[in-house]
Amino acid sequence: MATAARIELAIEGALTAHLSEDCPPRLAAAVRYAVSPGGARIRPRLCCAVAAACAADNPHIVDAAAVSIELLHCASLVHDDLPCFDNADLRRGKPTVHIAFDERLALLCGDELIVMAFEVLAAGAGSSPERLQALMRVVGRSVGAPNGIIAGQAYECEPGVDLRAYQQAKTGALFAAATEAGAAAAGEPASAWRQLGSRLGEAYQVADDLLDVCGHVGDIGKPTGQDRLHDRPSAVQALGFDGAMSRLATLIDNACESIPDCVGREPLARLVRAEADQLESRLRRLRAAA
Amino acid sequence: MATAARIELAIEGALTAHLSEDCPPRLAAAVRYAVSPGGARIRPRLCCAVAAACAADNPHIVDAAAVSIELLHCASLVHDDLPCFDNADLRRGKPTVHIAFDERLALLCGDELIVMAFEVLAAGAGSSPERLQALMRVVGRSVGAPNGIIAGQAYECEPGVDLRAYQQAKTGALFAAATEAGAAAAGEPASAWRQLGSRLGEAYQVADDLLDVCGHVGDIGKPTGQDRLHDRPSAVQALGFDGAMSRLATLIDNACESIPDCVGREPLARLVRAEADQLESRLRRLRAAA
């Protein structure tokens, strides 16, 4: 089965398992709404790509790792969109959870997604408890303090922020978890794969900053110009458009160079470059149209 | 070491491990503030008491289970206190997290506590991966959908609510996790211990409803009269003061009868009765003074 379809199936399986009939219906609806239809599912795809490059032997564990990372990503979007942070009305082209439901359900929806992520890991790694422990370590670290995405978001509550530390925690951490979890799900040492995820996470954050200045809401499904509006640190603000584009290219090069030796090293590097090329073309097109 | 001191030490260990120097300082401060000084620590004490009754052989796993449950409890308090739910100013005799810090940090603080709870479990059950899986299942189920504390809180967002289902999820679930996790940490089958936790959770919720009508803020460290103010379902509203007191006594009887055969059955039953007697005396004293 193609990776994208497999990921959707695994996500649907997790939702069905947890949002059963005896779940409060509005909570169930809010969680489904936050997760499906999704965005590019870039983190779970990356996780599956690394697992494949490592010749993973157990697809259930890989699926569990990929789904858990996507659920944590969705949780962070729902909570970051809340009025106390971004106060965003639109996400993935539709009203944010607190607009479509209410603030209470958005709060609980994010909480539920975090818990579900760990439950999915525990259930999926059932046949291999020692892999469960490695996955829990990798995934937990990427979300929690001191360096995970929650800490990344918390930098917005600090008076002075180092752009690199902020972006590394806010975006890089979950990308690093995606590559590390892909390896851990295959029973390989995770840490060798950290660099690839971190670089791709940085690249993704730079791309997101670029989209924020040159995209339109209709192109990217969420309001643009938010970094300037909220006075948030941004690669474009720091480096200019061309500087940020050049930084993006360097990060993709570094990412590909960092891929550890494994049976699927070359196909994985080609996949990363193909996705990056698509993204760069899209950014140049949007910039030209702006 | 006495259980209470041991729990505080284990909690402090978890905080120190996660809130290291490179954690955003305000997030670290908010998390510490939410957890210490704590309340009665009744859930982790219950977890440790069950583990002791089961003659647990590994104190690290027991500590991890107890701490994880307390952190999840603290997370639920921080999020339930937020303006969109209870809008509470006071908790454990001091300003709530969103008052002492701000709403953003209260949101992230709750998220961080949920993640930390699972990280603590994974780290603590290191020497025994098969126990980790049992613990993850027990703890995850008590927090997440469809029947955990998040679902319990979500019943407040539904138009009509069954009092028993609401309280079972909102309070009973984490108590059930405390007893089940105590057994699982000792390597015993968890499900036999579910009944004890559920009954004690129901009892605790009834006691909380009673405190809400007859306590004063100075006695219980949080504002009283909240159930009526927020039009929340309550045992006192349904059964009256005496009816609720009688229900409390029945639940404690049922709880003690449900304790499975184990080496420490009798001491555990005595402990439960002693705590319940103290609580009932306190409620009668407060009622007389009201």
Side-chain angles (χ1 to χ4, degrees):
Chain A
M1 195 186 308
T3 307
R6 178 179 147 189
I7 289 168
E8 293 310 317
L9 206 65
I11 289 175
E12 180 53 39
L15 294 178
T16 304
H18 289 88
L19 308 176
S20 56
E21 263 181 22
D22 48 340
C23 180
R26 297 192 72 214
L27 175 64
V31 171
R32 277 199 171 274
Y33 183 92
V35 175
S36 307
R41 309 287 197 206
I42 190 164
R43 295 160 192 79
R45 284 194 293 123
L46 181 59
C47 176
C48 290
V50 168
C54 293
D57 56 352
N58 185 329
H60 298 297
I61 304 185
V62 177
D63 285 356
V67 171
S68 123
I69 286 167
E70 180 64 12
L71 296 180
L72 289 166
H73 171 58
C74 293
S76 79
L77 297 181
V78 174
H79 279 183
D80 293 359
D81 282 340
L82 278 169
C84 66
F85 275 114
D86 292 358
N87 197 20
D89 292 345
L90 214 57
R91 166 73 66 184
R92 293 171 174 167
K94 60 183 193 179
T96 46
V97 177
H98 66 274
I99 298 287
F101 294 83
D102 64 28
E103 221 179 305
R104 299 173 305 167
L105 281 158
L107 174 65
L108 296 178
C109 169
D111 292 353
E112 168 60 27
L113 287 167
I114 298 174
V115 174
M116 203 191 293
F118 288 105
E119 290 190 277
V120 164
L121 265 192
S127 53
S128 187
E130 70 292 348
R131 289 196 199 171
L132 169 60
Q133 197 168 39
L135 284 167
M136 288 281 300
R137 212 168 20 233
V138 161
V139 173
R141 187 178 55 192
S142 75
V143 189
N147 302 313
I149 52 174
I150 293 170
Q153 186 67 12
Y155 279 120
E156 295 188 13
C157 312
E158 295 290 332
V161 178
D162 171 58
L163 175 65
R164 188 113 188 242
Y166 166 72
Q167 292 188 337
Q168 176 54 38
K170 180 156 175 163
T171 310
L174 209 50
F175 273 82
T179 53
E180 289 191 277
E188 294 294 322
S191 59
W193 290 86
R194 185 165 183 77
Q195 189 80 332
L196 171 63
S198 292
R199 288 300 151 270
L200 290 179
E202 272 191 80
Y204 183 85
Q205 182 64 54
V206 171
D208 202 56
D209 291 353
L210 284 159
L211 278 172
D212 189 65
V213 296
C214 70
H216 290 277
V217 59
D219 303 318
I220 65 170
K222 63 181 182 179
T224 54
Q226 297 297 299
D227 290 337
R228 178 173 291 193
L229 187 67
H230 295 288
D231 195 25
R232 280 192 300 228
S234 137
V236 180
Q237 173 216 22
L239 307 168
F241 183 86
D242 291 334
M245 284 296 278
S246 147
R247 171 104 189 108
L248 179 57
T250 306
L251 286 165
I252 295 296
D253 286 343
N254 294 348
C256 289
E257 285 156 18
S258 82
I259 299 176
D261 269 336
C262 61
V263 293
R265 189 176 195 280
E266 287 318 310
L268 180 59
R270 275 198 302 276
L271 186 71
V272 168
R273 288 211 182 273
E275 296 243 354
D277 287 348
Q278 266 191 356
L279 178 65
E280 281 170 31
S281 306
R282 183 175 169 216
L283 285 165
R284 293 202 189 281
R285 216 165 46 235
L286 288 169
R287 171 70 162 182
Chain B
M1 195 187 307
T3 307
R6 178 179 147 191
I7 290 169
E8 293 309 318
L9 205 65
I11 289 175
E12 181 53 40
L15 295 177
T16 304
H18 289 88
L19 308 175
S20 56
E21 263 181 23
D22 47 341
C23 180
R26 296 193 72 214
L27 175 64
V31 171
R32 277 200 171 276
Y33 183 91
V35 176
S36 308
R41 308 284 197 210
I42 188 163
R43 294 160 194 79
R45 284 195 293 123
L46 181 59
C47 178
C48 290
V50 168
C54 293
D57 56 351
N58 185 328
H60 298 297
I61 303 185
V62 176
D63 285 357
V67 170
S68 122
I69 286 167
E70 179 65 12
L71 296 180
L72 289 166
H73 171 59
C74 293
S76 78
L77 297 181
V78 174
H79 279 183
D80 294 357
D81 281 341
L82 278 168
C84 65
F85 274 116
D86 292 359
N87 196 20
D89 292 345
L90 215 58
R91 167 70 69 184
R92 292 172 176 169
K94 62 185 192 178
T96 47
V97 177
H98 66 275
I99 298 287
F101 294 83
D102 63 28
E103 221 178 305
R104 299 175 304 168
L105 281 158
L107 173 65
L108 296 177
C109 168
D111 291 352
E112 169 59 29
L113 286 168
I114 298 174
V115 174
M116 202 192 291
F118 288 105
E119 290 190 276
V120 164
L121 265 191
S127 53
S128 186
E130 70 291 347
R131 289 195 199 172
L132 169 61
Q133 198 169 37
L135 283 167
M136 288 281 299
R137 212 167 19 231
V138 160
V139 172
R141 186 178 54 193
S142 75
V143 188
N147 302 313
I149 53 174
I150 292 170
Q153 185 68 11
Y155 278 120
E156 294 188 15
C157 311
E158 295 290 333
V161 179
D162 170 59
L163 175 64
R164 189 115 187 238
Y166 166 72
Q167 291 188 337
Q168 176 53 35
K170 181 159 175 162
T171 311
L174 209 50
F175 273 83
T179 52
E180 289 191 277
E188 295 292 323
S191 59
W193 290 86
R194 185 164 184 77
Q195 190 80 335
L196 171 64
S198 292
R199 291 298 153 269
L200 290 178
E202 273 191 79
Y204 183 85
Q205 183 63 54
V206 171
D208 203 55
D209 292 352
L210 283 159
L211 278 172
D212 189 64
V213 295
C214 69
H216 290 279
V217 58
D219 302 317
I220 66 171
K222 63 182 182 180
T224 55
Q226 296 297 298
D227 290 337
R228 180 173 291 194
L229 186 67
H230 296 287
D231 195 24
R232 279 191 301 228
S234 134
V236 180
Q237 173 215 22
L239 307 168
F241 183 86
D242 292 333
M245 285 296 279
S246 146
R247 172 104 189 108
L248 179 57
T250 305
L251 286 165
I252 295 297
D253 285 344
N254 295 347
C256 289
E257 284 157 20
S258 83
I259 300 176
D261 270 336
C262 62
V263 293
R265 189 177 196 279
E266 287 317 310
L268 179 58
R270 276 199 300 277
L271 186 70
V272 169
R273 288 210 181 274
E275 295 244 354
D277 287 348
Q278 266 190 356
L279 178 65
E280 282 171 31
S281 306
R282 183 173 169 220
L283 284 166
R284 293 203 189 281
R285 215 165 48 234
L286 287 170
R287 171 71 163 182

